[in-house]
DNA sequence: CCGTTAATCTCGTAA
DNA sequence: TTACGAGGTTAACGG
């Protein structure tokens, strides 16, 4: 990894065009050729960048980074205040927990969260347009399709609606009810769901973890 | 901005929990207190990070970064290979061009792209669930609602469908036809649109720019 | 390789 | 402040 602090101007020409006026910034050149231009603020997203695979040509105080699609990042350097290189090696990578997949496992394990007498049919129930998160049967034996989100927004309701439309064409399943389950459900999503006869269910992640069988945990 | 190259392990406890084993990495500490942990590969996203506003406490080879929500990033340093600080000042910021807003302006200016005899009613035509990109009248005087995307995907068709449902409740407008306009329309989106009687229109950004009245340009 | 979906999304804008 | 849509989204996963 090479780190350069320099006054520079940057132009990106690709999916859009963008320009950064001359100012002091950090240029990070990674081992895979990718280049990141960072300012001393903002969040983790660089002001401008080129993703790998790409090629960096340095000539006459100007860096030209090109990728296979012909997108270009042109960096013009005026004053170089710092320039150092470092060998880091390959990173062992990140281990995560707490995302939608885990919510799905937890709800499948504790399907009674939907109500007493519910039975799990399966997780990732396949359909022509993709898998439904959970398919279950209610105490009366009717099919119930569950869409799980960390944050329940309008797109998730649309997604569940498409699944329900398809599942209800299957005479072995119909009628299929929908349940929209999320840690947090936005008001607009809730309104749309209710308008379509879809039940909303707020999941308590920590409470469900508390019920969790530790042998089955993802981590 | 402070740049540290060090062997470190990192733990994030917040919206999820995540762990990085001990390995050499770049630690970037920005002026606003935010911290980025970068490896020598991957793309512009750091392996782990804390967004501002947050506070960094350094004690005994361990950095603890905490934000207002109580999320924590704990970095344990083993070997510090590099440590330097640099004053960059406030960045003047980025200038962009080529996005959806510009497509909307261009199509409104050249409404005949929809067909001969079309007339613009207005851009950003307001409805209860948000503005429709363009409302127009066809040569017969019927209302036409246009949804514009850079890339036409299934979500955009859903969005236009919701607008059409609402607009068609207005007796002064109904019946309202839909046009889904984009630089590129994905097959699934096209299929869904056709299924719903929505016309698809592929926009040629460069050709429309060529027609553009230069006095009205955004840039 | 393509399509779909999630994301500690980020980032802007408007109500 | 919140909500919503767009993103050079990026990244992961499955067919």
């Amino acid at each position: 990894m090479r780190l350069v602090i320099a006054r520079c101007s940057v132009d990106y020409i690709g999916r859009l065009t963008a320009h950064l006026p001359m100012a002091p910034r950090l240029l990070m050149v990674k081992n895979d050729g990718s280049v990141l231009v960072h300012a001393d603020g903002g969040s983790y997203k660089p002001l401008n960048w080129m993703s790998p695979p790409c090629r960096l040509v340095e000539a006459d105080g100007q860096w030209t980074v090109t990728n296979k699609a012909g997108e270009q990042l042109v960096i013009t350097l005026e004053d170089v205040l710092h320039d150092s290189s470092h060998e880091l090696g390959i990173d062992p990578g990140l281990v995560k927990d707490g995302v939608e997949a885990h919510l799905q496992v937890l709800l499948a394990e504790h399907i009674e969260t939907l109500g007493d007498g519910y039975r799990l049919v399966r997780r990732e129930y396949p359909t022509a347009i993709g898998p439904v998160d959970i398919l279950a049967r209610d105490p009366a034996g009717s099919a119930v399709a569950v869409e799980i989100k960390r944050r329940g927004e309008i797109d998730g309701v649309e997604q569940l609606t498409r699944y329900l439309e398809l599942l209800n064409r299957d005479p072995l399943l119909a009628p299929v009810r929908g349940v929209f389950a999320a840690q947090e459900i936005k008001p607009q999503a809730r309104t749309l769901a209710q308008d379509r006869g879809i039940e909303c269910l707020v999941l308590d992640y920590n409470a469900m973890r508390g019920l969790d069988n530790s042998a089955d945990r993802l981590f």
Side-chain angles (χ1 to χ4, degrees), chain A residues 144-164:
Chain A
V144 178
V146 186
E147 176 64 35
I148 299 171
K149 295 286 176 199
R150 199 172 61 75
R151 283 187 315 186
E153 302 185 12
I154 213 160
D155 279 7
V157 179
E158 296 287 12
Q159 194 180 341
L160 178 54
T161 302
R162 291 195 296 273
Y163 286 135
L164 287 171

Side-chain angles (χ1 to χ4, degrees), chain A residues 189-209:
Chain A
R190 183 180 293 274
T191 302
L192 184 63
Q194 283 168 349
D195 192 55
R196 297 186 176 169
I198 292 169
E199 183 187 332
C200 288
L201 176 65
V202 175
L203 301 174
D204 184 333
Y205 179 61
N206 289 323
M208 291 176 79
R209 275 179 74 157

Side-chain angles (χ1 to χ4, degrees), chain A residues 59-139:
Chain A
D60 208 27
Q62 184 157 301
W63 296 7
T64 304
V65 193
T66 313
N67 69 6
K68 223 163 49 178
E71 296 174 308
Q72 275 199 335
L73 193 68
V74 180
I75 305 174
T76 305
L77 292 90
E78 215 162 62
D79 302 303
V80 176
L81 307 171
H82 174 97
D83 190 340
S84 64
S85 293
H86 313 270
E87 278 305 315
L88 298 185
I90 293 170
D91 201 276
L94 189 70
V95 183
K96 282 186 187 183
D97 167 47
V99 284
E100 184 188 310
H102 201 195
L103 280 174
Q104 193 191 96
V105 171
L106 287 171
L107 183 57
E109 276 177 11
H110 304 288
I111 196 72
E112 68 276 6
T113 307
L114 292 175
D116 286 338
Y118 275 69
R119 287 172 300 112
L120 177 69
V121 176
R122 69 164 290 183
R123 295 200 289 123
E124 301 283 346
Y125 183 90
T127 79
I129 55 170
V132 178
D133 287 338
I134 284 181
L135 192 72
R137 294 275 182 182
D138 70 14

Side-chain angles (χ1 to χ4, degrees), chain A residues 22-42:
Chain A
M22 188 66 65
R25 300 187 180 94
L26 166 67
L27 307 173
M28 189 190 315
V29 184
K30 292 193 175 185
N31 217 13
D32 55 15
S34 59
V35 178
L36 282 63
V37 181
H38 267 281
D40 203 351

